């Protein structure tokens, strides 16, 4: 019983463990490069207000283009076996174009709002980065479909090379968008070499209505979910200004780095769960236990290493940031555990549950953070974010247990 076969792919324990390690490596490559090298260098060339604006715009990217691309990625992964049986494709080309149109219009107006003025070249670069970001988030599904996590590692190595090239352009021009633009462009080289889905025809199959519905539901659900994760920067910038966003970002930095080491478990879990026909309650239980242990260890590591690391990377902000480390690190690891558990809800239950969970959590988040912001400033906002994430973990767990009991599995 060392391995099983699903969909023609052998899923042994060694293979799963190897894929987890590869996905952690793939995630760490751009994360370490950006968070520990490029972003600290950026902060040396920018005022705290300007740096806060960059952090805010990156939060917007993670809520809009990244959400749409990842939603298409996940829905494609879930429905891929059906497309293989039909030996057809094309629906996702149409959905990708539709998503890009919505993304382009939204980012155009959002970038003007946060800039406070119309800088044509800055807005143009921002929109182009968002278009490439969305497309790449979807197209790397080609590696997940084949469980080819080595391909994702190679893809991210190209992207990191692009980041460094873009940083050179930033120093020459002052436009930070070049960093991400070159990163996205170079990351497409292995995608063009390995992906078949990028060359699919623009056809509509009988699966289109179901796939479009799932995509729409998941985009709404993931937008709500990511709004919770990134609303801190998006809300804080107009409320408190770029300097406070910079301080808060540094306070959350180490916790998010630790969480990003654990998060790849979620991606690998969904890739394998999509190839299993029956809901695996025993795997859910062990995921909860192992995930909780990893998150506790990650939290302890975060609060232990934050000051010495941040003192090197962000000496200007470290004293202020350390006031919030214990709270923000807890928020990060709770969010990771919730994501692991949510993989099971996403894969085996109707997509409406994603909207329900995230809609309720978003309401809780907005009410708590804004209320506590008035009472306790940035500390109150941080506590509100932590409580909202704890609420989401509880709600997601209860949904899995109750829906399983009532046999609402689809």
């Amino acid at each position: 019983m060392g391995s099983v076969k699903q969909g023609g792919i052998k899923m042994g324990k060694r293979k799963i463990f190897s894929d987890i390690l590869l996905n952690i490596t793939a995630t760490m490559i751009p994360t370490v490069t950006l968070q520990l090298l490029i972003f600290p260098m950026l902060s040396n060339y920018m005022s705290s207000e300007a740096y806060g604006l960059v952090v805010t715009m990156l939060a917007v990217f993670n809520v809009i283009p990244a959400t749409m691309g990842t939603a298409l990625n996940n829905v494609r992964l879930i429905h891929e076996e059906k497309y293989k049986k039909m030996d057809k494709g094309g629906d996702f080309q149409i959905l990708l174009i539709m998503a890009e149109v919505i993304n382009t219009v939204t980012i155009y107006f959002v970038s003007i709002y946060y800039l406070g003025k119309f800088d044509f070249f800055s807005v143009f670069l921002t929109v182009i980065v968002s278009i490439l970001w969305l497309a790449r988030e979807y197209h790397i599904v080609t590696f997940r479909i084949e469980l080819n996590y080595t391909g994702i590692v190679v893809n991210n190595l190209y992207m990191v090379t692009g980041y460094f090239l873009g940083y050179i352009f930033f120093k020459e021009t002052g436009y930070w968008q070049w960093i991400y633009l070159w990163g996205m462009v170079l990351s497409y080289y292995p995608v063009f070499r390995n992906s078949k889905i990028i060359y699919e025809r623009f056809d509509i199959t009988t699966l289109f209505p179901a796939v479009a519905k799932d995509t729409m539901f998941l985009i709404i659900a993931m937008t709500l979910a990511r709004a919770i994760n990134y609303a801190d920067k998006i809300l804080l910038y107009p409320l408190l200004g770029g300097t406070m966003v910079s301080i808060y970002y540094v306070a959350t930095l180490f916790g998010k780095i630790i969480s990003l080491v654990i998060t790849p478990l979620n991606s690998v879990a969904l890739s394998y769960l999509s190839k299993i026909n029956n809901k695996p309650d025993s795997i859910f239980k062990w995921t909860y236990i192992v995930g909780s242990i990893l998150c506790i260890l990650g939290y302890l590591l975060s609060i232990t290493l934050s000051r010495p690391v941040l003192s090197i990377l962000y000496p200007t902000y470290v004293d202020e940031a350390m006031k919030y480390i214990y709270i923000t690190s807890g928020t990060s690891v709770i969010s990771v555990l919730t994501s692991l558990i949510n993989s099971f809800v996403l894969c085996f239950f109707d997509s409406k549950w994603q909207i329900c969970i995230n809609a309720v959590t978003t309401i809780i988040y907005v009410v708590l953070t804004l209320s506590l912001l008035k009472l306790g400033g940035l500390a109150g906002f941080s506590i509100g974010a932590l409580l909202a994430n704890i609420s989401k973990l509880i709600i997601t767990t209860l949904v899995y247990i109750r829906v399983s009991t009532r046999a609402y599995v689809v």
Side-chain angles (χ1 to χ4, degrees):
M1 299 295 291
S3 64
V4 294
K5 277 192 175 182
Q6 293 285 348
I9 296 177
K10 190 174 182 180
M11 300 192 296
K13 292 179 181 178
R14 286 187 180 180
K15 168 67 174 166
I16 295 174
F17 182 71
S18 172
D19 285 345
I20 290 172
L21 289 180
L22 283 171
N23 210 31
I24 289 174
T25 303
T27 304
M28 286 294 292
I29 289 169
T31 300
V32 169
T33 302
L34 287 171
Q35 306 292 354
L36 302 186
L37 294 174
I38 291 178
F39 282 1
M41 290 190 294
L42 268 180
S43 69
N44 293 328
Y45 284 91
M46 291 180 162
S47 66
S48 58
E49 192 70 22
Y51 189 65
L53 176 60
V54 173
V55 170
T56 302
M57 285 308 302
L58 290 175
V60 171
F61 281 152
N62 276 289
V63 171
I64 301 175
T67 295
M68 290 183 173
T70 302
L72 287 169
N73 184 308
N74 287 342
V75 174
R76 178 63 184 255
L77 191 66
I78 292 170
H79 288 276
E80 181 62 16
E81 295 302 315
K82 297 175 186 175
Y83 281 100
K84 283 184 177 178
K85 289 179 182 178
M86 293 173 56
D87 194 25
K88 290 184 179 181
D91 293 336
F92 283 89
Q93 297 286 60
I94 297 169
L95 291 171
L96 179 61
I97 294 297
M98 293 169 64
E100 288 286 21
V101 171
I102 296 170
N103 166 66
T104 300
V105 174
T106 306
I107 292 296
Y108 174 79
F109 287 106
V110 169
S111 60
I112 293 175
Y113 169 75
Y114 279 113
L115 282 172
K117 59 181 179 179
F118 184 73
D119 180 337
F120 173 78
F121 196 61
S122 181
V123 172
F124 174 75
L125 287 177
T126 302
V127 170
I128 295 299
V129 169
S130 74
I131 291 171
L132 291 172
W133 196 319
L134 192 161
R136 178 188 176 274
E137 289 291 337
Y138 165 60
H139 285 135
I140 59 173
V141 74
T142 190
F143 301 113
R144 295 180 69 195
I145 288 171
E146 302 298 331
L147 302 178
N148 178 16
Y149 287 93
T150 302
I152 297 178
V153 171
V154 172
N155 180 275
N156 284 357
L157 285 171
Y158 275 94
M159 186 163 64
V160 163
T161 303
Y163 287 158
F164 284 111
L165 179 60
Y167 181 74
I168 296 171
F169 275 72
F170 158 74
K171 289 186 68 177
E172 293 296 322
T173 65
Y175 289 101
W176 60 270
Q177 294 93 332
W178 284 116
I179 296 170
Y180 283 88
L181 181 60
W182 279 109
M184 297 297 165
V185 168
L186 291 195
S187 74
Y188 256 98
Y189 176 71
V191 174
F192 277 118
R193 288 195 62 186
N194 295 280
S195 178
K196 295 179 181 178
I197 64 173
I198 203 169
Y199 303 108
E200 285 179 342
R201 296 170 60 183
F202 287 77
D203 292 334
I204 294 179
T205 74
T206 54
L207 292 175
F208 184 81
V211 168
K213 185 194 80 168
D214 284 350
T215 302
M216 180 184 68
F217 280 175
L218 192 56
I219 287 175
I220 295 171
M222 289 184 67
T223 299
L224 292 170
R226 291 201 179 201
I228 295 169
N229 290 331
Y230 294 97
D232 42 18
K233 289 88 173 177
I234 295 172
L235 288 175
L236 286 175
Y237 188 83
L239 291 173
L240 299 179
T243 299
M244 294 307 292
V245 172
S246 298
I247 292 170
Y248 187 82
Y249 167 75
V250 175
T252 61
L253 175 62
F254 209 82
K256 288 194 173 181
I257 290 175
I258 295 296
S259 70
L260 285 170
V261 176
I262 305 171
T263 298
L265 291 170
N266 180 44
S267 176
V268 177
L270 185 59
S271 296
Y272 279 92
L273 288 172
S274 67
K275 300 181 184 300
I276 297 176
N277 297 320
N278 299 316
K279 186 168 60 62
D281 290 332
S282 61
I283 298 178
F284 174 83
K285 180 184 71 174
W286 281 107
T287 299
Y288 216 119
I289 294 170
V290 174
S292 298
I293 293 171
L294 289 174
C295 286
I296 291 170
L297 293 174
Y299 178 78
L300 294 174
L301 190 62
S302 176
I303 62 176
T304 302
L305 298 179
S306 286
R307 178 171 282 280
V309 173
L310 294 179
S311 295
I312 298 171
L313 299 177
Y314 293 97
T316 306
Y317 301 108
V318 63
D319 289 332
E320 283 296 315
M322 285 304 298
K323 298 176 182 178
Y324 315 105
I325 287 292
Y326 290 90
I327 305 170
T328 57
S329 296
T331 303
S332 295
V333 296
I334 292 293
S335 176
V336 170
L337 182 58
T338 305
S339 294
L340 288 172
I341 301 310
N342 190 58
S343 295
F344 291 83
V345 178
L346 174 62
C347 200
F348 297 106
F349 299 156
D350 193 284
S351 53
K352 68 181 180 182
W353 289 106
Q354 296 296 310
I355 296 179
C356 292
I357 291 170
N358 290 302
V360 172
T361 309
T362 300
I363 294 171
I364 294 172
Y365 183 94
V366 172
V367 171
L368 286 177
T369 54
L370 295 185
S371 299
L372 293 175
L373 176 65
K374 292 181 179 180
L375 295 174
L378 192 56
F381 186 94
S382 302
I383 293 171
L386 174 61
L387 293 176
N389 275 275
I390 292 173
S391 300
K392 184 177 182 181
L393 175 60
I394 294 171
I395 292 168
T396 305
T397 304
L398 289 177
V399 165
Y400 183 87
I401 295 171
R402 293 297 295 273
V403 175
S404 296
T405 304
R406 296 182 182 185
Y408 285 164
V409 181
V410 295

